[in-house]
Amino acid sequence: PTRRSSDLLHGVEERRLFFCPHAVDNERFMAQAEAATRQAAEWKAELGIPLSQKVVLFAGKFEAKKRPRDLVAAFRAAGLKDVTLLFVGNGEQEEALRKDAAGDPAIVFAPFQNQTAMPRTYLLGDLFVLPSYGSGETWGLAVNEAMCMGRPVIVSDHVGCAQDLVQPHRNGLVFPASNVPALAAALREAFADT
C-alpha cells in the first residue's frame, strides 16, 4: 500500500513515533536543595577539598564516549588557581584516568553515587562539565540535573542537549568536542571573574 506524506515524518511513519522527553524530576531535586547544600559542604570537607576552593565536577561513567581524560588534560592546561577537579563515578577508564591525574592534588576522585545523592553531588560542584565525543551522548541528562540545581555547565558540541539547553555566557559554554585547548579556554573563561 502507498503511504500518504502526512503519515511520514522524515521517513518514519507517524504511528511509530513516541513522545519521550529527556527530562528529570525537577521538583524532587529542588525539594532536596536545602538539605543537599549542607550535605555538599560536609562531603567537600570529607573529600579533603578546602571549603574556599571552587570545584569543577564530572559526574558519570568513566567511559571513552564521555571523554573524562580530555577533562584532565584541559584542567591541567587551564592552570586554574584555587580550583579542584572532582570526578564522581566509575567505569572502564578509571585506571587510566587515575594515572592521568596521578600526583595532582587538585584532582580528586569520589565513588559512584546513588541517584538519591545526586543533588548533593551537583551542589558540591561550582561548574559541571560533560566533554563527550561522538554520537553516543544523545542528550546528557546529567546536564539537566546540574542545571536544575543552579549549576552552570560546559558541554561539548556533541552532547545532545547543547543546542537546546545551553545558552552560551548565560548558563554555560559549548566547545568543539575533543578539542582539549578549547575546553581549557572554556574552563579559564568560566572562572575568569572568580
Side-chain angles (χ1 to χ4, degrees):
T2 58
R3 296 182 190 129
R4 298 185 322 242
S5 61
S6 63
D7 290 340
L8 296 176
L9 180 63
H10 303 291
V12 178
E13 294 177 43
E14 190 170 335
R15 68 178 176 82
R16 299 187 82 187
L17 297 175
F18 298 91
F19 179 68
C20 185
H22 285 287
V24 298
D25 185 351
N26 289 347
E27 289 180 16
R28 181 183 72 82
F29 271 78
M30 290 186 280
Q32 297 179 40
E34 188 176 325
T37 299
R38 285 190 308 277
Q39 295 166 358
E42 292 168 3
W43 194 35
K44 190 174 187 179
E46 288 172 20
L47 291 171
I49 302 170
L51 293 179
S52 61
Q53 293 255 335
K54 298 289 185 184
V55 175
V56 173
L57 174 66
F58 176 99
K61 294 178 184 166
F62 302 158
E63 58 188 9
K65 78 173 184 180
K66 294 191 183 290
R67 302 294 279 232
R69 297 180 75 190
D70 285 359
L71 182 52
V72 170
F75 179 78
R76 286 187 157 167
L80 303 170
K81 301 285 186 243
D82 301 319
V83 178
T84 296
L85 172 56
L86 173 61
F87 283 99
V88 177
N90 58 28
E92 64 191 31
Q93 289 201 325
E94 185 168 358
E95 184 178 335
L97 194 56
R98 286 181 180 273
K99 284 181 183 176
D100 292 346
D104 191 334
I107 302 176
V108 176
F109 289 84
F112 168 84
Q113 300 295 298
N114 186 289
Q115 186 64 23
T116 59
M118 291 312 293
R120 170 194 76 165
T121 302
Y122 294 117
L123 286 170
L124 191 154
D126 295 284
L127 172 70
F128 179 78
V129 180
L130 185 58
S132 301
Y133 180 83
S135 61
E137 196 69 74
T138 57
W139 186 259
L141 284 175
V143 177
N144 292 66
E145 293 173 347
M147 292 174 99
C148 180
M149 301 312 295
R151 294 307 182 239
V153 299
I154 295 177
V155 300
S156 81
D157 59 1
H158 283 209
V159 174
C161 69
Q163 187 173 354
D164 294 320
L165 291 184
V166 183
Q167 299 171 9
H169 302 101
R170 292 191 66 208
N171 63 4
L173 297 168
V174 178
F175 73 97
S178 79
N179 186 328
V180 171
L183 177 52
L187 288 168
R188 283 190 295 270
E189 183 175 349
F191 289 100
D193 296 330
T194 61

